[in-house]
Amino acid sequence: MVVLDMTKKTDVRITHKHYSLENGIFTLQIDVGDYDLTNKIITAKFSPKEVETGNLDVIDGIINLPIYSNLLKSGVNYIQLNFRWDENKLEQSPKMMWNISPSLTATEAAQEDV
């Protein structure tokens, strides 16, 4: 679980991580504490890739953030939630830091004799 120190709001927490074998997508579920999500469009910005997601699903106050490989790279990555409403209102969460290690080198499995 990642807990961030915030000065204006209570903690933003990644409460669950979920990988679906059905669609191969890894999803973070984020509890944003005191942020009001009513009638807001929520997206996430990833750095250093400088990519922003489309609108994220919110279920019972929990934001579901699907993670795709094009959003991340090896090393330190930052995720920041954007809360938009009206035409030009924007509030941002603190940045969450995620250190992505390179994949382990795979070895070939031995062929089985039939």
PDB file of all heavy atoms in Angstrom, residues 44-53 70-72 78 80:
ATOM      1  N   ALA A  44      -5.607  10.479 -15.022  1.00  0.00           N
ATOM      2  CA  ALA A  44      -4.300  10.345 -14.363  1.00  0.00           C
ATOM      3  C   ALA A  44      -3.217  10.716 -15.366  1.00  0.00           C
ATOM      4  O   ALA A  44      -3.284  10.328 -16.532  1.00  0.00           O
ATOM      5  CB  ALA A  44      -4.085   8.926 -13.854  1.00  0.00           C
ATOM      6  N   LYS A  45      -2.231  11.447 -14.901  1.00  0.00           N
ATOM      7  CA  LYS A  45      -1.083  11.849 -15.732  1.00  0.00           C
ATOM      8  C   LYS A  45       0.122  11.047 -15.285  1.00  0.00           C
ATOM      9  O   LYS A  45       0.384  10.928 -14.091  1.00  0.00           O
ATOM     10  CB  LYS A  45      -0.837  13.341 -15.561  1.00  0.00           C
ATOM     11  CG  LYS A  45       0.400  13.860 -16.228  1.00  0.00           C
ATOM     12  CD  LYS A  45       0.095  14.439 -17.582  1.00  0.00           C
ATOM     13  CE  LYS A  45       1.361  14.835 -18.301  1.00  0.00           C
ATOM     14  NZ  LYS A  45       1.545  16.227 -18.485  1.00  0.00           N
ATOM     15  N   PHE A  46       0.832  10.471 -16.248  1.00  0.00           N
ATOM     16  CA  PHE A  46       2.024   9.669 -15.974  1.00  0.00           C
ATOM     17  C   PHE A  46       3.257  10.422 -16.458  1.00  0.00           C
ATOM     18  O   PHE A  46       3.256  10.985 -17.549  1.00  0.00           O
ATOM     19  CB  PHE A  46       1.939   8.316 -16.692  1.00  0.00           C
ATOM     20  CG  PHE A  46       0.965   7.371 -16.071  1.00  0.00           C
ATOM     21  CD1 PHE A  46      -0.393   7.494 -16.312  1.00  0.00           C
ATOM     22  CD2 PHE A  46       1.396   6.355 -15.242  1.00  0.00           C
ATOM     23  CE1 PHE A  46      -1.308   6.625 -15.742  1.00  0.00           C
ATOM     24  CE2 PHE A  46       0.493   5.472 -14.661  1.00  0.00           C
ATOM     25  CZ  PHE A  46      -0.855   5.615 -14.914  1.00  0.00           C
ATOM     26  N   SER A  47       4.281  10.425 -15.633  1.00  0.00           N
ATOM     27  CA  SER A  47       5.552  11.028 -15.991  1.00  0.00           C
ATOM     28  C   SER A  47       6.629  10.003 -15.661  1.00  0.00           C
ATOM     29  O   SER A  47       6.515   9.314 -14.654  1.00  0.00           O
ATOM     30  CB  SER A  47       5.742  12.309 -15.173  1.00  0.00           C
ATOM     31  OG  SER A  47       6.978  12.901 -15.461  1.00  0.00           O
ATOM     32  N   PRO A  48       7.637   9.792 -16.428  1.00  0.00           N
ATOM     33  CA  PRO A  48       8.182  10.637 -17.484  1.00  0.00           C
ATOM     34  C   PRO A  48       7.595  10.406 -18.872  1.00  0.00           C
ATOM     35  O   PRO A  48       8.003  11.073 -19.816  1.00  0.00           O
ATOM     36  CB  PRO A  48       9.666  10.289 -17.483  1.00  0.00           C
ATOM     37  CG  PRO A  48       9.723   8.869 -17.066  1.00  0.00           C
ATOM     38  CD  PRO A  48       8.574   8.694 -16.104  1.00  0.00           C
ATOM     39  N   LYS A  49       6.637   9.510 -19.038  1.00  0.00           N
ATOM     40  CA  LYS A  49       6.056   9.263 -20.366  1.00  0.00           C
ATOM     41  C   LYS A  49       5.219  10.443 -20.854  1.00  0.00           C
ATOM     42  O   LYS A  49       4.945  10.554 -22.039  1.00  0.00           O
ATOM     43  CB  LYS A  49       5.192   7.996 -20.359  1.00  0.00           C
ATOM     44  CG  LYS A  49       5.987   6.714 -20.358  1.00  0.00           C
ATOM     45  CD  LYS A  49       6.540   6.454 -21.737  1.00  0.00           C
ATOM     46  CE  LYS A  49       7.020   5.030 -21.847  1.00  0.00           C
ATOM     47  NZ  LYS A  49       6.894   4.475 -23.142  1.00  0.00           N
ATOM     48  N   GLU A  50       4.787  11.315 -19.935  1.00  0.00           N
ATOM     49  CA  GLU A  50       3.953  12.474 -20.275  1.00  0.00           C
ATOM     50  C   GLU A  50       2.697  12.050 -21.032  1.00  0.00           C
ATOM     51  O   GLU A  50       2.362  12.595 -22.083  1.00  0.00           O
ATOM     52  CB  GLU A  50       4.755  13.517 -21.065  1.00  0.00           C
ATOM     53  CG  GLU A  50       5.960  14.053 -20.307  1.00  0.00           C
ATOM     54  CD  GLU A  50       5.631  14.623 -18.930  1.00  0.00           C
ATOM     55  OE1 GLU A  50       4.564  15.261 -18.766  1.00  0.00           O
ATOM     56  OE2 GLU A  50       6.432  14.412 -18.000  1.00  0.00           O
ATOM     57  N   VAL A  51       2.015  11.066 -20.457  1.00  0.00           N
ATOM     58  CA  VAL A  51       0.778  10.537 -21.032  1.00  0.00           C
ATOM     59  C   VAL A  51      -0.330  10.741 -20.009  1.00  0.00           C
ATOM     60  O   VAL A  51      -0.133  10.548 -18.818  1.00  0.00           O
ATOM     61  CB  VAL A  51       0.926   9.025 -21.338  1.00  0.00           C
ATOM     62  CG1 VAL A  51      -0.377   8.440 -21.834  1.00  0.00           C
ATOM     63  CG2 VAL A  51       2.035   8.791 -22.333  1.00  0.00           C
ATOM     64  N   GLU A  52      -1.504  11.139 -20.495  1.00  0.00           N
ATOM     65  CA  GLU A  52      -2.666  11.270 -19.619  1.00  0.00           C
ATOM     66  C   GLU A  52      -3.726  10.275 -20.072  1.00  0.00           C
ATOM     67  O   GLU A  52      -3.946  10.085 -21.269  1.00  0.00           O
ATOM     68  CB  GLU A  52      -3.230  12.690 -19.659  1.00  0.00           C
ATOM     69  CG  GLU A  52      -4.316  12.915 -18.638  1.00  0.00           C
ATOM     70  CD  GLU A  52      -4.684  14.374 -18.458  1.00  0.00           C
ATOM     71  OE1 GLU A  52      -4.051  15.246 -19.077  1.00  0.00           O
ATOM     72  OE2 GLU A  52      -5.618  14.641 -17.691  1.00  0.00           O
ATOM     73  N   THR A  53      -4.363   9.625 -19.101  1.00  0.00           N
ATOM     74  CA  THR A  53      -5.392   8.633 -19.402  1.00  0.00           C
ATOM     75  C   THR A  53      -6.677   9.317 -19.851  1.00  0.00           C
ATOM     76  O   THR A  53      -6.840  10.527 -19.694  1.00  0.00           O
ATOM     77  CB  THR A  53      -5.723   7.791 -18.156  1.00  0.00           C
ATOM     78  OG1 THR A  53      -6.340   8.639 -17.178  1.00  0.00           O
ATOM     79  CG2 THR A  53      -4.489   7.127 -17.587  1.00  0.00           C
ATOM     80  N   ASN A  70       2.293   1.248 -22.118  1.00  0.00           N
ATOM     81  CA  ASN A  70       2.692   2.517 -22.733  1.00  0.00           C
ATOM     82  C   ASN A  70       2.670   3.692 -21.745  1.00  0.00           C
ATOM     83  O   ASN A  70       3.111   4.783 -22.074  1.00  0.00           O
ATOM     84  CB  ASN A  70       1.816   2.834 -23.945  1.00  0.00           C
ATOM     85  CG  ASN A  70       0.381   3.141 -23.567  1.00  0.00           C
ATOM     86  OD1 ASN A  70      -0.160   2.587 -22.614  1.00  0.00           O
ATOM     87  ND2 ASN A  70      -0.249   4.005 -24.326  1.00  0.00           N
ATOM     88  N   LEU A  71       2.188   3.471 -20.525  1.00  0.00           N
ATOM     89  CA  LEU A  71       2.144   4.527 -19.522  1.00  0.00           C
ATOM     90  C   LEU A  71       3.407   4.586 -18.674  1.00  0.00           C
ATOM     91  O   LEU A  71       3.663   5.593 -18.015  1.00  0.00           O
ATOM     92  CB  LEU A  71       0.936   4.326 -18.591  1.00  0.00           C
ATOM     93  CG  LEU A  71      -0.446   4.317 -19.244  1.00  0.00           C
ATOM     94  CD1 LEU A  71      -1.507   3.937 -18.220  1.00  0.00           C
ATOM     95  CD2 LEU A  71      -0.748   5.658 -19.881  1.00  0.00           C
ATOM     96  N   LEU A  72       4.174   3.499 -18.654  1.00  0.00           N
ATOM     97  CA  LEU A  72       5.309   3.382 -17.745  1.00  0.00           C
ATOM     98  C   LEU A  72       6.602   3.096 -18.475  1.00  0.00           C
ATOM     99  O   LEU A  72       6.601   2.643 -19.610  1.00  0.00           O
ATOM    100  CB  LEU A  72       5.052   2.235 -16.756  1.00  0.00           C
ATOM    101  CG  LEU A  72       3.787   2.321 -15.921  1.00  0.00           C
ATOM    102  CD1 LEU A  72       3.541   1.002 -15.232  1.00  0.00           C
ATOM    103  CD2 LEU A  72       3.880   3.451 -14.925  1.00  0.00           C
ATOM    104  N   TYR A  78       5.973   8.712 -12.046  1.00  0.00           N
ATOM    105  CA  TYR A  78       5.069   9.486 -11.186  1.00  0.00           C
ATOM    106  C   TYR A  78       3.669   9.427 -11.770  1.00  0.00           C
ATOM    107  O   TYR A  78       3.482   9.484 -12.991  1.00  0.00           O
ATOM    108  CB  TYR A  78       5.518  10.944 -11.092  1.00  0.00           C
ATOM    109  CG  TYR A  78       6.852  11.096 -10.410  1.00  0.00           C
ATOM    110  CD1 TYR A  78       8.025  11.178 -11.146  1.00  0.00           C
ATOM    111  CD2 TYR A  78       6.935  11.125  -9.023  1.00  0.00           C
ATOM    112  CE1 TYR A  78       9.251  11.293 -10.521  1.00  0.00           C
ATOM    113  CE2 TYR A  78       8.157  11.248  -8.391  1.00  0.00           C
ATOM    114  CZ  TYR A  78       9.312  11.333  -9.142  1.00  0.00           C
ATOM    115  OH  TYR A  78      10.525  11.438  -8.519  1.00  0.00           O
ATOM    116  N   GLN A  80      -0.141  11.294 -11.182  1.00  0.00           N
ATOM    117  CA  GLN A  80      -0.874  12.365 -10.518  1.00  0.00           C
ATOM    118  C   GLN A  80      -2.304  12.355 -11.029  1.00  0.00           C
ATOM    119  O   GLN A  80      -2.541  12.303 -12.243  1.00  0.00           O
ATOM    120  CB  GLN A  80      -0.229  13.720 -10.800  1.00  0.00           C
ATOM    121  CG  GLN A  80      -0.861  14.844 -10.013  1.00  0.00           C
ATOM    122  CD  GLN A  80      -0.050  16.119 -10.119  1.00  0.00           C
ATOM    123  OE1 GLN A  80       0.482  16.450 -11.170  1.00  0.00           O
ATOM    124  NE2 GLN A  80       0.048  16.841  -9.022  1.00  0.00           N
TER     125      GLN A  80
END
